[in-house]
């Protein structure tokens, strides 16, 4: 019911819901965290060949903001965000230098009401509802969401990908 209400009754003339390049949307989200956090956020977009113009939906905005916010929350000092796009795939990768996803929950991430046995992670975490909602909203917009460990830092990594054709604003 909550998920339905988040995207219900969107107004066409609402400036917030105008079309936007995905790089610009990510920049807006990153800037909002720069203002409230002292953690370093690095945004790499050199492989963003297509830079698709997308509909700025609540689902995409909330989903991206949720996963970037989690990375900022759990990171020790920095978050790496990369955007890659071409005519086939558009992918956003969010990596942090925090404790990473605990092995005991890695395979069930995205489900509601989960809790890690890892004390460091469980002190900062809730019941996984934000992750569940973010994943569900992005999947509603034809995204695939994968959770893993960041190869560079062993922290958390979330990969959100779309077929570029499914992401384009009409």
């Amino acid at each position: 019911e909550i998920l339905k209400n988040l995207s219900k009754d969107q107004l066409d003339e609402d400036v917030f819901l105008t079309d936007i390049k995905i790089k610009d949307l990510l920049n807006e989200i990153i800037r909002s965290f720069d203002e409230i956090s002292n953690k370093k956020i690095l945004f790499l977009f050199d492989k963003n060949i297509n830079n698709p113009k997308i509909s700025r939906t609540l689902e995409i905005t909330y989903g991206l903001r949720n996963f970037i916010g989690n990375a900022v929350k759990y990171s020790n000092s920095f978050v790496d965000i990369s955007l890659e796009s071409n005519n086939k795939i558009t992918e956003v990768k969010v990596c942090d230098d925090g404790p990473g996803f605990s092995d005991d929950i890695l395979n069930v991430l995205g489900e509601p009401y989960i809790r890690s046995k890892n004390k460091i992670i469980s002190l900062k975490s809730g019941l996984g509802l934000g992750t569940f909602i973010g994943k569900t909203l992005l999947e509603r917009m034809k995204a695939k969401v994968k959770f893993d460990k960041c190869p560079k830092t062993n922290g958390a990594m979330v990969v959100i990908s779309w077929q570029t054709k499914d992401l384009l604003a009409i």
Side-chain angles (χ1 to χ4, degrees):
E1 191 64 30
I2 293 170
L3 297 176
K4 286 180 191 173
N5 288 334
L6 279 173
S7 62
K8 189 176 171 185
D9 298 328
Q10 293 180 355
L11 301 174
D12 290 335
E13 65 273 2
D14 191 340
V15 175
F16 178 74
L17 299 173
T18 57
D19 295 344
I20 189 169
K21 296 281 190 174
I22 192 165
K23 177 184 165 203
D24 296 334
L25 177 61
L26 285 164
N27 268 323
E28 284 180 15
I29 294 168
I30 291 165
R31 259 195 320 273
S32 73
F33 285 105
D34 276 343
E35 293 171 4
I36 61 172
S37 174
N38 60 355
K39 307 225 175 130
K40 173 107 173 102
I41 302 174
L42 178 63
F43 182 32
L44 302 171
F45 48 86
D46 56 316
K47 294 182 181 176
N48 181 29
I49 297 164
N50 211 30
N51 197 24
K53 188 175 203 178
I54 65 171
S55 295
R56 187 199 304 238
T57 64
L58 293 173
E59 291 92 344
I60 291 174
T61 303
Y62 179 92
L64 291 172
R65 186 169 177 71
N66 176 72
F67 291 118
I68 292 169
N70 281 348
V72 169
K73 176 180 177 180
Y74 289 100
S75 68
N76 294 319
S77 60
F78 73 89
V79 176
D80 283 345
I81 300 167
S82 66
L83 169 62
E84 293 185 32
S85 71
N86 57 45
N87 290 332
K88 292 184 180 191
I89 299 290
T90 297
E91 180 180 271
V92 176
K93 196 178 290 183
V94 182
C95 282
D96 66 55
D97 68 340
F101 297 121
S102 183
D103 290 336
D104 65 330
I105 62 166
L106 190 58
N107 293 329
V108 292
L109 274 169
E111 296 297 319
Y113 306 111
I114 59 171
R115 196 150 182 111
S116 174
K117 294 175 185 169
N118 182 318
K119 295 217 187 282
I120 295 170
I121 294 171
S122 66
L123 287 174
K124 288 185 177 181
S125 68
L127 298 173
L129 294 177
T131 299
F132 166 71
I133 292 170
K135 179 178 183 279
T136 301
L137 289 173
L138 287 166
E139 287 174 344
R140 180 188 270 184
M141 302 307 294
K142 300 184 179 182
K144 290 185 178 150
V145 180
K146 293 187 287 184
F147 304 97
D148 209 339
K149 295 202 182 256
C150 181
K152 189 166 94 174
T153 64
N154 214 28
M157 179 173 71
V158 179
V159 180
I160 305 151
S161 60
W162 293 266
Q163 294 290 318
T164 300
K165 66 179 174 55
D166 292 337
L167 192 57
L168 298 175
I170 297 173

